[in-house]
Amino acid sequence: MEVTRRKLLQGMGFLAGAIVLRNLAGPEQALAAVEDFPGYPERFGMLTDTTMCVGCRWCEVACAQANSMPPPAALSDKSVFNKMRRPSAEALTVVNRYTDPADTKRTVFRKMQCMHCNEPACVLQRARLRLCLPGGCAGED
Ligand code: SF4
């Protein structure tokens, strides 16, 4: 079969059109996938008014006990507020203290915790890292 310039351009035009059509149709497919997604009907959500936090850190204690983790620093130890903490493999719940920028005499506490994701990227990422770099993941237990 002789390939002429005209046939080549026609072919490329057809190919380009097919790609555009597929991308145009993509969102519907994505929507169909979402509509088919069963979600997690057995899971519960929890709504917490964090503006009411008084920084008692009992949630840190309860979280450590519930997850059989080492207890956090003593509740009387206010030095934990000297540096900003983030949830980690050692502490899934942490409370930080901030000064209200609008009123520097006012202290604000903010609880940060594991969000109990349905598909936790951190665990998936760790598993993937474990596969790739045995024992290489920073902060692994
Ligand atoms: S969120 Fe934690 S630190 Fe804040 S009030 Fe509740 S238990 Fe205390």
Side-chain angles (χ1 to χ4, degrees):
M1 177 180 90
E2 185 193 353
V3 178
T4 64
R5 187 166 173 272
R6 175 185 293 271
K7 283 190 180 140
L8 181 64
L9 290 173
Q10 281 173 339
M12 287 171 66
F14 174 76
L15 185 60
I19 291 169
V20 169
L21 278 176
R22 184 187 165 282
N23 287 341
L24 284 175
E28 282 87 20
Q29 289 167 326
L31 186 59
V34 170
E35 282 168 353
D36 294 342
F37 179 61
Y40 301 91
E42 77 288 349
R43 301 294 302 245
F44 295 94
M46 188 167 70
L47 193 59
T48 312
D49 182 354
T50 56
T51 64
M52 302 300 288
C53 178
V54 294
C56 67
R57 296 183 43 238
W58 273 108
C59 52
E60 293 182 13
V61 174
C63 177
Q65 285 171 352
N67 293 289
S68 306
M69 297 173 76
L75 298 180
S76 57
D77 179 359
K78 301 302 179 194
S79 70
V80 294
F81 295 129
N82 292 346
K83 70 180 178 83
M84 289 300 136
R85 298 177 297 156
R86 295 184 59 82
S88 67
E90 290 73 40
L92 299 176
T93 295
V94 295
V95 178
N96 286 314
R97 180 178 61 193
Y98 303 85
T99 302
D100 182 347
D103 173 5
T104 53
K105 292 190 190 72
R106 186 167 168 259
T107 298
V108 178
F109 294 95
R110 180 177 165 227
K111 172 186 177 183
M112 295 178 71
Q113 63 172 75
C114 165
M115 289 300 164
H116 304 281
C117 302
N118 291 315
E119 296 171 14
C122 58
V123 175
L124 298 171
Q125 180 65 3
R126 283 176 151 210
R128 205 173 293 125
L129 285 174
R130 240 188 228 118
L131 285 170
C132 300
L133 304 164
C137 180
E140 259 187 83
D141 321 296

